[in-house]
Amino acid sequence: MMRISGVVAGYGEREVLHGVDMEFRPGEITVLIGPNGCGKSTLLKTIVGIVECSAGEITIVDHISGERLAEDRKTVLSVKALSDIERAKRVAYLPQSKKIPDISAFRMVLHGRFPYLNYPRKYRAEDMKIAGEALRWAGLEDKADEMVSRLSGGMQQNVYLAMALAQNADTILMDEPTTYLDVANQLRLMEMAGRLARQGKAVVMVLHDLSLALRMADRVVLMEDGRVRKTGTSEEVYDSGDLRRVFGVEIERVKTKSGWHYFWDGMVGEEDTER
């Protein structure tokens, strides 16, 4: 489990995160939602060390079979104290903007094994096997020799997910992974995220699509102005009324065979927002 406690971070003198607290639990999809500029992406960058954490703590609590160890036996690691290689073994990060390299899908997935290579950095038979299994898991075994740059947007995202799986990190961070994907590929990506969670990974996603986020998340974190406004299940966040206040839109839902489906139904008037 990853625990974020009182984290303050930003860019130079501009503070973006103001004492953020949350947890990312194994076996769950946690979705961060909130208006543009509220600190969602900055939080992910802070976790992986791209943005400096000026106060607070980001820690990893070791688990056995997905269950917390007894208080006197648990191991707590500071993410900030880890080397880049050790952090990469525990946290995989898929940024929103990615430069698509002109290499094969298999070689791209192999990059996930980089933290495990000794000097001189040569891939072992074990790494080749793990990368091949990750490609099959993503349904891309027939695309192994194709250039990533020539694949569709959905397939490119699947390659990155396979790379994250090959990295074997306990926590997987994804910043707007559904951007530019059509509806079918969005749902496929979310299904793959669910498969990762069922393997015991803590999957963390930044999403702007409220309907998709509320439908697919095990846990929702609603952020506003660099702070956490509400954390809970989709139903708990919806019932709180905070979505309406933070986004300024009317959020409705309808019960279907697969559960609640959420949708926005117009803007909230200025007078209503202030209530």
Side-chain angles (χ1 to χ4, degrees), residues 23-30 193 197-198 200-204 218-219:
E23 291 181 348
F24 302 144
R25 303 173 183 177
E28 288 187 352
I29 297 176
T30 300
R198 290 191 293 274
K201 309 292 186 184
V203 180
V204 184
D218 296 304
R219 183 166 297 272

Side-chain angles (χ1 to χ4, degrees), residues 98-240:
K98 298 181 283 290
K99 183 177 180 180
I100 307 299
D102 197 27
I103 61 175
S104 72
F106 181 73
R107 298 300 297 184
M108 188 71 203
V109 175
L110 263 178
H111 283 186
R113 301 302 302 162
F114 191 81
Y116 301 93
L117 303 183
N118 296 319
Y119 185 84
R121 290 187 167 86
K122 292 184 178 180
Y123 293 113
R124 305 157 296 176
E126 176 188 1
D127 302 311
M128 299 290 186
K129 179 182 177 182
I130 291 173
E133 290 173 348
L135 269 177
R136 283 191 291 276
W137 174 88
L140 294 169
E141 61 269 32
D142 61 334
K143 305 293 182 183
D145 297 326
E146 293 195 27
M147 297 294 104
V148 178
S149 58
R150 298 176 188 174
L151 297 176
S152 68
M155 287 184 180
Q156 288 176 354
Q157 288 288 43
N158 289 354
V159 169
Y160 277 95
L161 282 177
M163 182 176 68
L165 181 64
Q167 192 171 328
N168 198 30
D170 294 326
T171 303
I172 300 175
L173 311 176
M174 292 184 268
D175 193 359
E176 283 295 330
T178 60
T179 301
Y180 307 126
L181 298 185
D182 59 35
V183 173
N185 277 305
Q186 287 181 23
L187 293 177
R188 289 190 188 101
L189 184 139
M190 295 303 295
E191 191 276 332
M192 291 179 69
R195 287 166 59 193
L196 287 169
R198 290 191 293 274
Q199 291 179 9
K201 309 292 186 184
V203 180
V204 184
M205 313 177 80
V206 170
L207 293 178
H208 278 295
D209 186 328
L210 284 181
S211 176
L212 188 65
L214 294 171
R215 178 182 173 189
M216 306 301 293
D218 296 304
R219 183 166 297 272
V220 175
V221 178
L222 174 62
M223 297 183 65
E224 182 185 28
D225 297 330
R227 295 178 173 85
V228 175
R229 293 305 181 190
K230 182 67 178 179
T231 300
T233 64
S234 297
E235 289 82 1
E236 290 169 342
V237 173
Y238 173 82
D239 290 339
S240 72

